[in-house]
Amino acid sequence: MDFDRAIEKAVNRRDFITGTTAGLVGALTLGASAQAQQAAPPAAAAGAPPQPAVPMTPGRVTYKAIEGDTIQIKGHQGDMIDAYMARPAGPGKFPGVVVVHHMPGWDEPTIEITRRFAQHGYAAICPNLHFREGKSTPEANSASITAHGGMPDVRTMGDVEGAIRHIRSLRYMTGKVGIIGYCSGGRQVYLAACTLKGIDAAVACYPGGVGAGNAGLTPAMPIDPIDLTKDLSCPLMGIFGKEDKRPSPEHAAKIEAELKRFNKTYEIHSFENAGHSIFATNRVDYRPLAANEGWIDIFNWYQKHLA
């Protein structure tokens, strides 16, 4: 669907979207274990040396090698922008993931997230959506974006579409492409999943502004993406912290209500003792236990929809 037409349709029907749900159906808590415990090994005979739980081959080191580099891709209106690309080393065909960075920018933790996908068998690309600001640091680029009313949705969707197009063109791709984003990137993932083609599964991590209505809208970002839920074209997972304010638990409930109302394929995971930026290792909101559970959910989701 053309992005501008989608925005116009959603603005016209925004006033008709009402209601919330109480609570999040199927929400996870950190108290629930994602893995079954293994049985304890039998006790060793008296006097026998202890045996390792897993047989080891002397001198062998097991690791997952990857290849990564900064490249340039065609973004919105054919602009050349930077992107970080990572993939498993060696031959094979891999599903793809487009990583949409958070508002703090195209920073080191985001690049590490991109590399993590490569270590798990995906070809991953993260476009620098702040590239045109031309500042010397991600923080300066982010401040410049904020001062101008936020990331323009039309330009952002053009850059994300360029990343999808680039990764689909690679000869080692399986043909399946997912998308994931964090904070403002989570909002942009929701928007992309409702307006762009070529996405097979989406993950929106604490998508700030989705479900917030008119609060925070600007000429650059003129719509609450929840208004486009009817047009969602792929399965979507949402990850939230129950102590977050934007998106709040109420916003998450509205998102789930809309996904359910339009009979979409979705999962909602909401974590106790967690607020915003659950996965951001360089921020005070980082929650390693929630992040670990979240990564399990993410890889299970992509295994189901991209394998």
Side-chain angles (χ1 to χ4, degrees):
M1 175 182 292
D2 180 81
F3 177 70
D4 293 323
R5 287 178 54 213
I7 294 296
E8 182 179 358
K9 283 176 60 182
V11 170
N12 289 338
R13 70 168 178 261
R14 181 184 300 141
D15 293 338
F16 297 95
I17 296 179
T18 59
T20 63
T21 61
L24 299 175
V25 177
L28 297 182
T29 62
L30 290 179
S33 174
Q35 300 177 345
Q37 294 184 353
Q38 296 180 347
Q51 297 298 311
V54 179
M56 301 295 291
T57 301
R60 180 176 179 180
V61 177
T62 301
Y63 68 97
K64 298 178 180 179
I66 65 171
E67 298 174 355
D69 200 1
T70 299
I71 63 174
Q72 284 209 316
I73 64 172
K74 286 186 178 181
H76 181 58
Q77 296 183 336
D79 293 349
M80 299 302 295
I81 65 171
D82 281 350
Y84 184 79
M85 183 85 206
R87 54 164 286 188
K93 287 189 175 292
F94 316 103
V97 175
V98 175
V99 179
V100 184
H101 63 74
H102 55 181
M103 190 58 190
W106 195 62
D107 55 8
E108 184 174 337
T110 302
I111 299 305
E112 287 305 312
I113 285 173
T114 309
R115 294 170 64 85
R116 184 169 191 156
F117 279 109
Q119 290 173 323
H120 283 259
Y122 297 86
I125 187 169
C126 180
N128 182 1
L129 303 176
H130 295 176
F131 178 79
R132 297 168 186 81
E133 300 306 304
K135 310 301 181 184
S136 60
T137 66
E139 294 80 8
N141 283 332
S142 179
S144 179
I145 289 286
T146 301
H148 290 88
M151 287 290 299
D153 283 338
V154 173
R155 191 181 78 186
T156 302
M157 292 300 100
D159 287 348
V160 171
E161 187 173 35
I164 295 170
R165 183 169 54 248
H166 179 86
I167 203 168
R168 281 192 170 277
S169 73
L170 301 175
R171 56 181 173 76
Y172 50 79
M173 293 299 300
T174 63
K176 294 283 189 177
V177 175
I179 187 169
I180 188 169
Y182 306 81
C183 183
S184 62
R187 176 188 178 275
Q188 290 153 358
V189 160
Y190 204 105
L191 198 57
C194 295
T195 62
L196 301 182
K197 297 179 180 179
I199 301 172
D200 296 292
V203 180
C205 300
Y206 31 93
V210 181
N214 292 330
L217 297 185
T218 69
M221 302 183 296
I223 189 170
D224 181 344
I226 199 172
D227 294 354
L228 298 169
T229 302
K230 180 181 178 181
D231 301 317
L232 180 69
S233 60
C234 66
L236 183 138
M237 173 186 284
I239 294 180
F240 302 89
K242 288 191 174 181
E243 296 178 2
D244 203 348
K245 303 300 182 184
R246 184 178 173 89
S248 66
E250 292 74 22
H251 297 157
K254 288 179 68 176
I255 291 169
E256 182 166 16
E258 287 298 282
L259 292 168
K260 184 180 295 184
R261 183 161 80 97
F262 290 110
N263 197 31
K264 301 300 182 179
T265 300
Y266 73 93
E267 287 185 14
I268 298 292
H269 298 280
S270 186
F271 292 95
E272 300 281 359
N273 304 312
H276 205 67
S277 302
I278 295 169
F279 294 96
T281 56
N282 64 333
R283 300 177 69 82
V284 296
D285 288 336
Y286 174 54
R287 294 295 181 267
L289 295 180
N292 183 64
E293 292 281 351
W295 276 116
I296 292 170
D297 295 332
I298 290 164
F299 286 122
N300 285 342
W301 183 250
Y302 281 154
Q303 175 64 28
K304 181 177 181 180
H305 295 288
L306 300 183

